[in-house]
């Protein structure tokens, strides 16, 4: 018995040869959940949208302040002075600097 391969049904030697589907690989992404600074910003209250704070309280996921600080809100922000970087960025946004 002779064995033969039909060229139409034979597997392709490279994906570029046919009209099959290609698989695109995405780089793995990880959510940053660690503190993004040296700890000085723990002494301040930071600017974050009220919606994000409420979502964080429900899910336990961290928020990102205007200054870039990443944390899970747990303390009363009125007990701390406002972060100077957040305040500066917020003022620039109000003036249309962003």
């Amino acid at each position: 018995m002779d064995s033969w391969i039909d060229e139409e049904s034979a597997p392709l030697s490279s994906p570029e040869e046919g009209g099959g589907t290609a698989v695109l690989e995405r780089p793995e992404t990880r959510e940053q959940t660690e503190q993004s600074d040296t700890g000085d910003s723990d002494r301040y209250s930071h600017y974050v949208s009220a919606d994000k704070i409420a979502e964080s309280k429900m899910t336990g996921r961290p928020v990102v302040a205007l200054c870039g600080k990443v944390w899970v809100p747990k303390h009363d922000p009125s007990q701390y002075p406002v972060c100077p970087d957040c305040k500066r960025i917020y003022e620039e946004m109000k003036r249309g600097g962003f």
Side-chain angles (χ1 to χ4, degrees):
M1 179 184 268
D2 290 331
S3 104
W4 58 275
I5 298 176
D6 181 8
E7 288 184 23
E8 300 272 328
S9 62
L12 300 174
S13 60
S14 74
E16 292 83 22
E17 291 181 9
T21 55
V23 176
L24 298 176
E25 291 187 31
R26 278 191 246 170
E28 182 179 330
T29 58
R30 296 183 133 184
E31 182 176 313
Q32 180 182 357
T33 57
E34 296 178 14
Q35 187 172 317
S36 63
D37 57 0
T38 60
D40 285 345
S41 59
D42 290 337
R43 301 179 295 168
Y44 298 113
S45 61
H46 296 273
Y47 287 15
V48 178
S49 76
D51 294 341
K52 294 292 182 184
I53 294 287
E55 180 182 330
S56 176
K57 286 183 179 184
M58 291 179 61
T59 64
R61 295 184 74 166
V63 295
V64 180
L66 289 179
C67 69
K69 162 110 171 125
V70 178
W71 84 108
V72 177
K74 294 180 182 171
H75 302 287
D76 180 5
S78 67
Q79 302 298 314
Y80 302 93
V82 174
C83 168
D85 291 333
C86 281
K87 187 174 184 175
R88 177 186 50 79
I89 294 166
Y90 180 73
E91 293 299 324
E92 287 178 9
M93 289 172 62
K94 279 181 31 179
R95 287 193 306 259
F98 281 86

